[in-house]
Each structure stands twice: as C-alpha cells, then as structure tokens.
Amino acid sequence: MKRIKMHWPVQTVLLVLLLLSTGCENRSNSKEPAASAAVDGGTSSLSGTIVMLTNRIDLIENGTFKGYADQFKKKYPEANVEFEGLSNYASDILVRLSTKDAGDVLLLPVNLPAKELELFFEPLDNEMSAQERFTTFATYGGKRYGLSTGTTTSGIVYNKRAFEQAGITQIPQTLEQFYAACAKLKAAGITPVYLNYGAVWPLREWGNNMVNFMTGDPEYMNNMVHEDSPWQIDNAWGQSLSIARTIIDRGYVEDELFSNNWEISKTKLAKGEVGMYLLGNWTIRQVLDAGASEGDIGFFPFPYDNSSEHYAPLNPDWFIGVFCKRDLLHG
C-alpha cells in the first residue's frame, strides 16, 4: 500500500505531541490532555499520516506507542500515526534534519544551537507551554519550540542481586568506596559498570552532565566562556573524565567497548550480569521492562569524590517538537 503523507495543520500535530509527551512523562497518569477536545474545532475529518521519530525503540516494539496512536485514532478515524525509531538518535537526527526527512513530530536534537531552532521547528502555542518547568530550554527569540517529556536526575542505577553476589553490603558513599565496589563486582565475574561507550550519548554523563552538577554551581557551565582554558586536569572537567578513565584502565567496564549495545546492556543489567549504570533515573523503567524484578533494581547518587556531601541534578528529559515544513533558508 502506498503511503500518502499529509502536511497536517500545526494544531493537529500538536495534539499528537501533547498525547505522546503526556504518556512519556508520567505513565501512571492515564488522563488525556485537556487541549485535545478543542483541536480543529472538534472535527474528525482530517486524514493522512503523521510520522514521529523517536529514540524509544523499546516503546515501539512493546506496543506502548501503538496505544497512544490508538487514542488519537479514536478522534480522527481516517488518521494514522506511525513511529520510526533511531538507534543512534543524537547523531542520526541531525542528518535527517539536513535532508528535510524528519517526519512530523520528533525529539529536539540536544546539540542543535538554539538560534537554529526556528529553521527546523514550529513555535508552540504559549498556552500549551504554560506548565513547562524548564522555561529557558528549547526557546529562542521569545518563542518556545519544544516541551519536556519528563523530569530526571542522574545517578547510579544498580542491580541489588549483583551487589549481594559480589559481597557488597553498603551503598558506596565515596569515590574510593565506588572503586572498591567495582573491584568486588569484577572479582565475582560481573561487569561492574556498563559505560555504553559505543552508543556515545551515555558518555555525556561522565563529562558535561557530571560537571554541571558536581561543582554545586548552577552557573559553572555558563561562566566557562570567560575562561581562556576551561578544560584542565585539576578542575571539574579533569576530575569527571579521570573517573571514566580510571574505570576503563582498571577493566571495570564492558569488553566490547566500541560496540553499540544499548538495548543488550539493559538486559544484562536486568539479569545481574552488569552491576551499574551512571545514567538518569528514567533508565529504571527500561531495565524493568527488560526483565528485571522491581525489587532487584536500585538507585543512588554518584559519589564523584571522597567528601561527605554530593550533589545531584534536576534535568529535563528530551524535548519534543513539531518539524517545520516550510523552507526558511529560502524564504
């Protein structure tokens, strides 16, 4: 069957955006977005296909996204919502944007300069974004181009059974205790930490994400522009990257370091073949979906130094927006 892709009204595409972002942000809340009833004057005459690009291949495969699409189809029986998963979303989406083949609804690239948002995304209605927690994100020139799909924090996601098997009886409170726990896991035949080095995007946790909160200074990253040499061994950048370097040098990470095994790694952590991730707490749900029992998975702040106090971030998850169909580069 030949698919005919329609250029939908922005308001209709935003309904899909709201429906999906609500579902991703809080799966315990099944309430539909209040704005949906008013879209397009309550009509149901629209037809065609809306395509969403996503990094959540697992939600495509387990049918979660189909459930969202089914809700949308109740309002628009002649409409279809399709999902395309990108395993290397952070890099692949930039290519798709450059070719103008980016579907209709998609996650905003994390490394797209704010000044370029208007080239690729439609501005969102102010009323729609009135409840947005992260008011300075995904905006430029007074316009908002994305809605956060959730709120996250970063830390160590770990398998409690793996810790028990390795004889770890207490959660590491310092960096040295963290290294000691890694040594015990390795001795027990368990991969201590899965970096997901080959997937690339998880490495942000060991670099700029950690630097952003470990200093305790919310303006640290912004103030880097005033420094001639911001990347130094003896500052937060050197400290964070040295931790990653240390666990690699000591063999505390996966053997196939350069392979993208993100989906496989979740199953390994669920089974206790891997002890820990350093990632956002959003990972927990995915590890449970990969087969872990709820009682087996825990979470604790990452002890990035040997002090008695550590910070943890409060961050937005991916932002979701509507792809701009007009060609702003050529008027």
Side-chain angles (χ1 to χ4, degrees):
M1 179 183 294
K2 182 178 180 180
R3 186 183 75 187
I4 300 177
K5 182 178 173 183
M6 305 296 292
H7 284 192
W8 291 64
V10 173
Q11 294 89 344
T12 302
V13 181
L14 290 180
L15 170 58
V16 180
L17 185 153
L18 275 174
L19 184 63
L20 296 173
S21 63
T22 301
C24 292
E25 181 174 358
N26 187 352
R27 291 178 179 79
S28 65
N29 183 358
S30 59
K31 183 172 62 176
E32 277 196 55
S36 62
V39 174
D40 293 317
T43 66
S44 59
S45 60
L46 293 175
S47 62
T49 298
I50 292 178
V51 179
M52 177 181 175
L53 304 189
T54 178
N55 64 333
R56 295 300 303 274
I57 296 174
D58 57 318
L59 296 185
I60 296 176
E61 293 177 344
N62 68 17
T64 298
F65 276 167
K66 183 180 182 302
Y68 300 156
D70 289 344
Q71 292 183 53
F72 184 71
K73 199 169 183 64
K74 289 179 181 178
K75 182 171 180 63
Y76 299 108
E78 301 301 319
N80 295 298
V81 182
E82 297 182 358
F83 304 93
E84 181 180 349
L86 303 179
S87 58
N88 294 308
Y89 191 93
S91 57
D92 290 350
I93 194 59
L94 294 176
V95 177
R96 298 292 290 270
L97 286 177
S98 68
T99 61
K100 289 292 184 178
D101 180 22
D104 301 290
V105 178
L106 65 154
L107 304 176
L108 275 61
V110 295
N111 46 0
L112 184 71
K115 65 181 180 181
E116 295 183 10
L117 286 170
E118 68 174 357
L119 300 179
F120 300 103
F121 296 94
E122 295 281 357
L124 305 184
D125 182 83
N126 290 334
E127 183 178 352
M128 175 179 296
S129 58
Q131 303 301 316
E132 179 62 58
R133 177 194 297 267
F134 302 96
T135 57
T136 61
F137 291 75
T139 61
Y140 187 75
K143 297 180 180 179
R144 174 169 296 281
Y145 295 91
L147 297 179
S148 173
T149 57
T151 302
T152 70
T153 188
S154 294
I156 296 293
V157 181
Y158 75 104
N159 188 298
K160 296 179 182 179
R161 287 191 294 109
F163 270 41
E164 292 174 2
Q165 183 178 336
I168 303 170
T169 58
Q170 292 185 333
I171 297 301
Q173 301 292 317
T174 67
L175 184 57
E176 287 305 316
Q177 291 177 10
F178 173 76
Y179 289 148
C182 288
K184 289 183 178 180
L185 288 164
K186 182 179 180 180
I190 300 168
T191 301
V193 181
Y194 214 105
L195 279 180
N196 270 298
Y197 193 102
V200 180
W201 61 264
L203 298 181
R204 292 197 303 265
E205 295 292 345
W206 301 90
N208 61 300
N209 284 5
M210 192 189 305
V211 169
N212 202 28
F213 66 82
M214 69 187 294
T215 62
D217 179 5
E219 295 299 320
Y220 184 88
M221 301 286 277
N222 292 332
N223 290 334
M224 283 177 57
V225 298
H226 304 301
E227 300 181 26
D228 293 330
S229 302
W231 291 281
Q232 300 292 331
I233 291 296
D234 59 356
N235 67 9
W237 282 99
Q239 182 180 347
S240 63
L241 294 177
S242 293
I243 297 173
R245 174 67 180 269
T246 298
I247 62 175
I248 292 174
D249 287 348
R250 296 183 182 181
Y252 295 157
V253 299
E254 65 267 26
D255 292 330
E256 299 178 356
L257 197 60
F258 298 103
S259 299
N260 184 354
N261 291 325
W262 166 242
E263 296 297 333
I264 295 173
S265 73
K266 290 185 288 187
T267 301
K268 288 180 176 292
L269 184 62
K271 292 180 177 179
E273 297 173 8
V274 170
M276 296 179 279
Y277 278 159
L278 172 60
L279 280 172
N281 60 332
W282 53 266
T283 316
I284 297 173
R285 180 69 265 168
Q286 295 195 34
V287 175
L288 295 177
D289 290 343
S293 299
E294 290 193 8
D296 289 342
I297 304 301
F299 187 79
F300 62 88
F302 183 57
Y304 46 77
D305 59 27
N306 291 318
S307 66
S308 59
E309 182 180 82
H310 298 101
Y311 297 101
L314 186 64
N315 293 323
D317 206 335
W318 287 88
F319 285 83
I320 190 170
V322 178
F323 184 52
C324 178
K325 298 297 181 180
R326 63 188 181 278
D327 190 351
L328 294 181
L329 293 175
H330 300 90

